[in-house]
Amino acid sequence: EVFAMTDAFEPKIIAFLCNWCSYAGADNAGIARLPSPANVLPIRVMCSGRVSPEMILRAFRSGADGVLVLGCHIGDCHYISGNHRTIKRVPLVRNLLGYVGINPDRLRLDWVSSAEAPRFAQVTQEFVETVRSLGPIAEEMAR
């Protein structure tokens, strides 16, 4: 057989994007026709500080192989300190994931401004590659 079908794993990624920076960066990446992964489902939130641990865990329970939280750079938050809350919260959730048997690398926090369309494309592509290398979350949970 010349062409072997490969069942390459394509991870399902939920991305919580801050309305003022990261969502605008994603929008600008689309306008600029920058290649970005199709398996990233963007969810607009008003601020990364509004992304609760419950929202992250619900994304995993709903079948996400990875969760990406993108917000404004520190010092540039539309709501002054929302991303300060996020930078404290996400490491705690990563620790919690480890306790329940989920690789903490399945959760990533990063900063992307509205003017950083290429960075949005890069961060999402890197994260998809990371999660792809980890394999399906269902296999991880079965161990």
Side-chain angles (χ1 to χ4, degrees), residues 41-84:
L41 176 65
I43 297 178
R44 185 186 343 203
V45 292
M46 291 311 288
C47 178
S48 63
R50 297 287 293 146
V51 179
S52 68
E54 293 84 3
M55 290 167 71
I56 294 167
L57 296 174
R58 185 178 301 139
F60 283 116
R61 270 199 313 271
S62 298
D65 296 299
V67 176
L68 184 58
V69 179
L70 297 179
C72 301
H73 289 276
I74 297 297
D76 288 338
C77 180
H78 188 79
Y79 300 104
I80 315 320
S81 62
N83 51 12
H84 289 271

Short mmCIF file of all heavy atoms in Angstrom, two decimals, residues 41-84:
data_model
loop_
_atom_site.label_atom_id
_atom_site.label_comp_id
_atom_site.label_asym_id
_atom_site.label_seq_id
_atom_site.Cartn_x
_atom_site.Cartn_y
_atom_site.Cartn_z
N LEU A 41 -10.76 26.63 19.59
CA LEU A 41 -12.08 27.25 19.72
C LEU A 41 -11.94 28.49 20.60
O LEU A 41 -11.69 28.38 21.80
CB LEU A 41 -13.08 26.28 20.34
CG LEU A 41 -14.48 26.84 20.61
CD1 LEU A 41 -15.18 27.22 19.32
CD2 LEU A 41 -15.31 25.84 21.40
N PRO A 42 -12.07 29.69 20.00
CA PRO A 42 -11.93 30.91 20.81
C PRO A 42 -13.21 31.22 21.58
O PRO A 42 -14.30 31.14 21.03
CB PRO A 42 -11.65 31.99 19.76
CG PRO A 42 -12.28 31.48 18.50
CD PRO A 42 -12.28 29.98 18.58
N ILE A 43 -13.04 31.55 22.83
CA ILE A 43 -14.17 31.99 23.67
C ILE A 43 -13.78 33.37 24.20
O ILE A 43 -12.79 33.52 24.91
CB ILE A 43 -14.46 31.01 24.81
CG1 ILE A 43 -14.88 29.67 24.22
CG2 ILE A 43 -15.54 31.58 25.74
CD1 ILE A 43 -15.16 28.59 25.23
N ARG A 44 -14.59 34.37 23.82
CA ARG A 44 -14.31 35.74 24.24
C ARG A 44 -14.79 35.95 25.67
O ARG A 44 -15.94 35.67 25.99
CB ARG A 44 -14.99 36.73 23.30
CG ARG A 44 -14.62 38.15 23.64
CD ARG A 44 -15.32 39.25 22.90
NE ARG A 44 -16.01 38.94 21.68
CZ ARG A 44 -16.27 39.84 20.74
NH1 ARG A 44 -15.87 41.07 20.87
NH2 ARG A 44 -16.95 39.51 19.67
N VAL A 45 -13.90 36.45 26.50
CA VAL A 45 -14.25 36.85 27.87
C VAL A 45 -13.86 38.32 28.00
O VAL A 45 -12.96 38.78 27.30
CB VAL A 45 -13.54 35.98 28.94
CG1 VAL A 45 -14.05 34.56 28.92
CG2 VAL A 45 -12.03 36.00 28.78
N MET A 46 -14.51 39.05 28.86
CA MET A 46 -14.20 40.47 28.96
C MET A 46 -12.80 40.71 29.51
O MET A 46 -12.15 41.69 29.16
CB MET A 46 -15.24 41.19 29.82
CG MET A 46 -16.61 41.27 29.16
SD MET A 46 -16.58 41.84 27.43
CE MET A 46 -16.20 43.56 27.67
N CYS A 47 -12.33 39.78 30.35
CA CYS A 47 -11.00 39.93 30.95
C CYS A 47 -10.48 38.54 31.31
O CYS A 47 -11.26 37.69 31.73
CB CYS A 47 -11.11 40.79 32.21
SG CYS A 47 -9.54 41.02 33.09
N SER A 48 -9.18 38.34 31.16
CA SER A 48 -8.61 37.04 31.55
C SER A 48 -8.84 36.78 33.04
O SER A 48 -8.94 35.63 33.47
CB SER A 48 -7.11 36.98 31.23
OG SER A 48 -6.39 37.94 31.98
N GLY A 49 -8.97 37.86 33.82
CA GLY A 49 -9.26 37.73 35.24
C GLY A 49 -10.62 37.13 35.55
O GLY A 49 -10.88 36.71 36.67
N ARG A 50 -11.49 37.07 34.53
CA ARG A 50 -12.82 36.48 34.70
C ARG A 50 -12.81 34.97 34.47
O ARG A 50 -13.81 34.30 34.67
CB ARG A 50 -13.82 37.12 33.73
CG ARG A 50 -14.04 38.59 33.97
CD ARG A 50 -14.85 38.87 35.21
NE ARG A 50 -16.21 38.39 35.03
CZ ARG A 50 -16.96 37.88 36.01
NH1 ARG A 50 -16.49 37.80 37.24
NH2 ARG A 50 -18.18 37.47 35.77
N VAL A 51 -11.68 34.43 34.00
CA VAL A 51 -11.58 33.00 33.73
C VAL A 51 -11.33 32.29 35.06
O VAL A 51 -10.25 32.36 35.63
CB VAL A 51 -10.47 32.68 32.72
CG1 VAL A 51 -10.38 31.18 32.47
CG2 VAL A 51 -10.73 33.41 31.40
N SER A 52 -12.37 31.64 35.55
CA SER A 52 -12.30 30.99 36.85
C SER A 52 -11.73 29.58 36.72
O SER A 52 -11.77 28.98 35.65
CB SER A 52 -13.69 30.92 37.47
OG SER A 52 -14.50 30.03 36.71
N PRO A 53 -11.22 29.03 37.83
CA PRO A 53 -10.79 27.63 37.80
C PRO A 53 -11.93 26.70 37.33
O PRO A 53 -11.67 25.74 36.61
CB PRO A 53 -10.41 27.35 39.25
CG PRO A 53 -10.02 28.69 39.80
CD PRO A 53 -10.93 29.67 39.11
N GLU A 54 -13.16 27.02 37.72
CA GLU A 54 -14.31 26.20 37.31
C GLU A 54 -14.45 26.19 35.79
O GLU A 54 -14.76 25.15 35.20
CB GLU A 54 -15.60 26.70 37.96
CG GLU A 54 -15.67 26.54 39.47
CD GLU A 54 -14.99 27.65 40.26
OE1 GLU A 54 -14.48 28.63 39.65
OE2 GLU A 54 -14.91 27.54 41.49
N MET A 55 -14.25 27.34 35.15
CA MET A 55 -14.36 27.42 33.69
C MET A 55 -13.30 26.55 33.03
O MET A 55 -13.57 25.84 32.05
CB MET A 55 -14.23 28.86 33.21
CG MET A 55 -15.41 29.74 33.57
SD MET A 55 -15.08 31.50 33.32
CE MET A 55 -15.04 31.61 31.54
N ILE A 56 -12.10 26.58 33.56
CA ILE A 56 -11.00 25.78 33.01
C ILE A 56 -11.30 24.30 33.17
O ILE A 56 -11.19 23.52 32.22
CB ILE A 56 -9.66 26.17 33.67
CG1 ILE A 56 -9.29 27.61 33.31
CG2 ILE A 56 -8.56 25.19 33.28
CD1 ILE A 56 -8.16 28.21 34.14
N LEU A 57 -11.71 23.90 34.37
CA LEU A 57 -12.02 22.49 34.62
C LEU A 57 -13.21 22.03 33.79
O LEU A 57 -13.22 20.90 33.28
CB LEU A 57 -12.26 22.25 36.11
CG LEU A 57 -11.04 22.50 37.00
CD1 LEU A 57 -11.40 22.38 38.47
CD2 LEU A 57 -9.89 21.57 36.64
N ARG A 58 -14.20 22.89 33.59
CA ARG A 58 -15.36 22.54 32.77
C ARG A 58 -14.95 22.31 31.32
O ARG A 58 -15.46 21.42 30.65
CB ARG A 58 -16.44 23.62 32.84
CG ARG A 58 -17.71 23.21 32.09
CD ARG A 58 -18.82 24.24 32.19
NE ARG A 58 -19.18 24.48 33.58
CZ ARG A 58 -19.45 25.69 34.08
NH1 ARG A 58 -19.43 26.76 33.31
NH2 ARG A 58 -19.77 25.83 35.33
N ALA A 59 -14.00 23.11 30.84
CA ALA A 59 -13.49 22.91 29.48
C ALA A 59 -12.87 21.52 29.34
O ALA A 59 -13.13 20.82 28.36
CB ALA A 59 -12.48 24.01 29.12
N PHE A 60 -12.08 21.12 30.31
CA PHE A 60 -11.49 19.77 30.27
C PHE A 60 -12.56 18.70 30.37
O PHE A 60 -12.54 17.72 29.63
CB PHE A 60 -10.44 19.60 31.38
CG PHE A 60 -9.12 20.26 31.08
CD1 PHE A 60 -8.65 21.29 31.87
CD2 PHE A 60 -8.34 19.84 30.01
CE1 PHE A 60 -7.43 21.90 31.60
CE2 PHE A 60 -7.13 20.45 29.72
CZ PHE A 60 -6.67 21.48 30.53
N ARG A 61 -13.51 18.88 31.28
CA ARG A 61 -14.61 17.90 31.42
C ARG A 61 -15.42 17.79 30.15
O ARG A 61 -16.00 16.76 29.87
CB ARG A 61 -15.53 18.29 32.58
CG ARG A 61 -15.14 17.71 33.92
CD ARG A 61 -16.29 17.73 34.91
NE ARG A 61 -17.00 18.98 34.97
CZ ARG A 61 -16.70 20.00 35.77
NH1 ARG A 61 -15.69 19.92 36.59
NH2 ARG A 61 -17.42 21.10 35.76
N SER A 62 -15.49 18.88 29.38
CA SER A 62 -16.29 18.90 28.15
C SER A 62 -15.52 18.32 26.95
O SER A 62 -16.02 18.37 25.83
CB SER A 62 -16.72 20.33 27.83
OG SER A 62 -17.54 20.82 28.87
N GLY A 63 -14.31 17.84 27.19
CA GLY A 63 -13.59 17.16 26.12
C GLY A 63 -12.40 17.90 25.54
O GLY A 63 -11.80 17.44 24.57
N ALA A 64 -12.03 19.05 26.11
CA ALA A 64 -10.86 19.77 25.61
C ALA A 64 -9.59 18.99 25.97
O ALA A 64 -9.47 18.45 27.07
CB ALA A 64 -10.78 21.17 26.21
N ASP A 65 -8.66 18.91 25.02
CA ASP A 65 -7.37 18.30 25.27
C ASP A 65 -6.40 19.32 25.85
O ASP A 65 -5.37 18.96 26.42
CB ASP A 65 -6.79 17.73 23.97
CG ASP A 65 -7.64 16.59 23.42
OD1 ASP A 65 -7.79 15.57 24.10
OD2 ASP A 65 -8.17 16.75 22.30
N GLY A 66 -6.71 20.61 25.68
CA GLY A 66 -5.88 21.68 26.19
C GLY A 66 -6.69 22.95 26.36
O GLY A 66 -7.69 23.14 25.68
N VAL A 67 -6.26 23.78 27.31
CA VAL A 67 -6.93 25.06 27.55
C VAL A 67 -5.86 26.16 27.54
O VAL A 67 -4.84 26.06 28.21
CB VAL A 67 -7.69 25.07 28.90
CG1 VAL A 67 -8.29 26.45 29.18
CG2 VAL A 67 -8.77 24.00 28.92
N LEU A 68 -6.16 27.19 26.74
CA LEU A 68 -5.26 28.32 26.58
C LEU A 68 -5.97 29.56 27.14
O LEU A 68 -7.14 29.80 26.82
CB LEU A 68 -4.97 28.50 25.09
CG LEU A 68 -4.00 29.54 24.61
CD1 LEU A 68 -2.61 29.33 25.23
CD2 LEU A 68 -3.90 29.49 23.09
N VAL A 69 -5.29 30.29 28.00
CA VAL A 69 -5.83 31.54 28.53
C VAL A 69 -4.91 32.65 28.04
O VAL A 69 -3.71 32.65 28.34
CB VAL A 69 -5.89 31.53 30.08
CG1 VAL A 69 -6.43 32.86 30.60
CG2 VAL A 69 -6.73 30.37 30.59
N LEU A 70 -5.47 33.57 27.26
CA LEU A 70 -4.68 34.69 26.73
C LEU A 70 -5.27 36.01 27.22
O LEU A 70 -6.47 36.22 27.13
CB LEU A 70 -4.67 34.67 25.19
CG LEU A 70 -4.02 33.46 24.54
CD1 LEU A 70 -4.10 33.57 23.02
CD2 LEU A 70 -2.58 33.29 24.98
N GLY A 71 -4.40 36.86 27.72
CA GLY A 71 -4.87 38.15 28.24
C GLY A 71 -3.94 39.28 27.82
O GLY A 71 -2.97 39.09 27.09
N CYS A 72 -4.27 40.48 28.30
CA CYS A 72 -3.45 41.67 28.05
C CYS A 72 -2.13 41.52 28.80
O CYS A 72 -2.06 40.88 29.83
CB CYS A 72 -4.15 42.91 28.58
SG CYS A 72 -5.77 43.22 27.86
N HIS A 73 -1.10 42.16 28.28
CA HIS A 73 0.19 42.17 28.98
C HIS A 73 0.02 42.84 30.34
O HIS A 73 -0.82 43.73 30.52
CB HIS A 73 1.24 42.93 28.15
CG HIS A 73 1.66 42.19 26.93
ND1 HIS A 73 2.64 41.23 26.94
CD2 HIS A 73 1.23 42.28 25.64
CE1 HIS A 73 2.80 40.75 25.72
NE2 HIS A 73 1.96 41.38 24.91
N ILE A 74 0.84 42.39 31.30
CA ILE A 74 0.81 42.99 32.63
C ILE A 74 1.07 44.49 32.50
O ILE A 74 1.97 44.91 31.80
CB ILE A 74 1.85 42.32 33.55
CG1 ILE A 74 1.54 40.82 33.76
CG2 ILE A 74 1.95 43.05 34.89
CD1 ILE A 74 0.22 40.54 34.45
N GLY A 75 0.22 45.27 33.14
CA GLY A 75 0.32 46.72 33.06
C GLY A 75 -0.60 47.32 32.01
O GLY A 75 -0.79 48.52 31.99
N ASP A 76 -1.16 46.49 31.14
CA ASP A 76 -2.03 46.99 30.08
C ASP A 76 -3.48 46.53 30.20
O ASP A 76 -4.24 46.65 29.26
CB ASP A 76 -1.49 46.53 28.70
CG ASP A 76 -0.23 47.27 28.31
OD1 ASP A 76 -0.01 48.37 28.84
OD2 ASP A 76 0.52 46.73 27.48
N CYS A 77 -3.86 45.98 31.36
CA CYS A 77 -5.22 45.46 31.52
C CYS A 77 -6.25 46.59 31.46
O CYS A 77 -6.11 47.61 32.14
CB CYS A 77 -5.34 44.72 32.84
SG CYS A 77 -6.98 44.04 33.17
N HIS A 78 -7.28 46.38 30.66
CA HIS A 78 -8.37 47.34 30.53
C HIS A 78 -9.04 47.58 31.89
O HIS A 78 -9.55 48.67 32.15
CB HIS A 78 -9.39 46.79 29.53
CG HIS A 78 -10.47 47.74 29.15
ND1 HIS A 78 -10.27 48.76 28.23
CD2 HIS A 78 -11.75 47.84 29.56
CE1 HIS A 78 -11.40 49.43 28.09
NE2 HIS A 78 -12.31 48.90 28.88
N TYR A 79 -9.02 46.55 32.73
CA TYR A 79 -9.64 46.64 34.06
C TYR A 79 -8.58 46.79 35.16
O TYR A 79 -8.80 46.37 36.29
CB TYR A 79 -10.51 45.40 34.30
CG TYR A 79 -11.61 45.30 33.29
CD1 TYR A 79 -11.54 44.39 32.24
CD2 TYR A 79 -12.72 46.13 33.36
CE1 TYR A 79 -12.56 44.31 31.29
CE2 TYR A 79 -13.74 46.05 32.41
CZ TYR A 79 -13.64 45.14 31.38
OH TYR A 79 -14.64 45.07 30.45
N ILE A 80 -7.45 47.35 34.84
CA ILE A 80 -6.34 47.68 35.73
C ILE A 80 -5.59 46.43 36.24
O ILE A 80 -4.43 46.26 35.96
CB ILE A 80 -6.76 48.55 36.97
CG1 ILE A 80 -7.68 49.72 36.64
CG2 ILE A 80 -5.51 49.01 37.73
CD1 ILE A 80 -7.45 50.54 35.42
N SER A 81 -6.28 45.55 37.01
CA SER A 81 -5.56 44.45 37.67
C SER A 81 -6.14 43.07 37.38
O SER A 81 -5.79 42.11 38.07
CB SER A 81 -5.55 44.69 39.18
OG SER A 81 -6.88 44.69 39.67
N GLY A 82 -6.98 42.94 36.38
CA GLY A 82 -7.58 41.64 36.09
C GLY A 82 -6.55 40.58 35.76
O GLY A 82 -6.64 39.44 36.23
N ASN A 83 -5.54 40.95 34.98
CA ASN A 83 -4.54 39.96 34.61
C ASN A 83 -3.60 39.63 35.78
O ASN A 83 -2.97 38.58 35.79
CB ASN A 83 -3.77 40.36 33.35
CG ASN A 83 -3.21 41.75 33.40
OD1 ASN A 83 -3.19 42.39 34.44
ND2 ASN A 83 -2.74 42.23 32.25
N HIS A 84 -3.54 40.48 36.81
CA HIS A 84 -2.79 40.15 38.02
C HIS A 84 -3.47 38.98 38.73
O HIS A 84 -2.80 38.11 39.28
CB HIS A 84 -2.70 41.36 38.97
CG HIS A 84 -1.80 42.44 38.45
ND1 HIS A 84 -0.46 42.49 38.71
CD2 HIS A 84 -2.07 43.49 37.64
CE1 HIS A 84 0.07 43.54 38.11
NE2 HIS A 84 -0.89 44.17 37.46
#
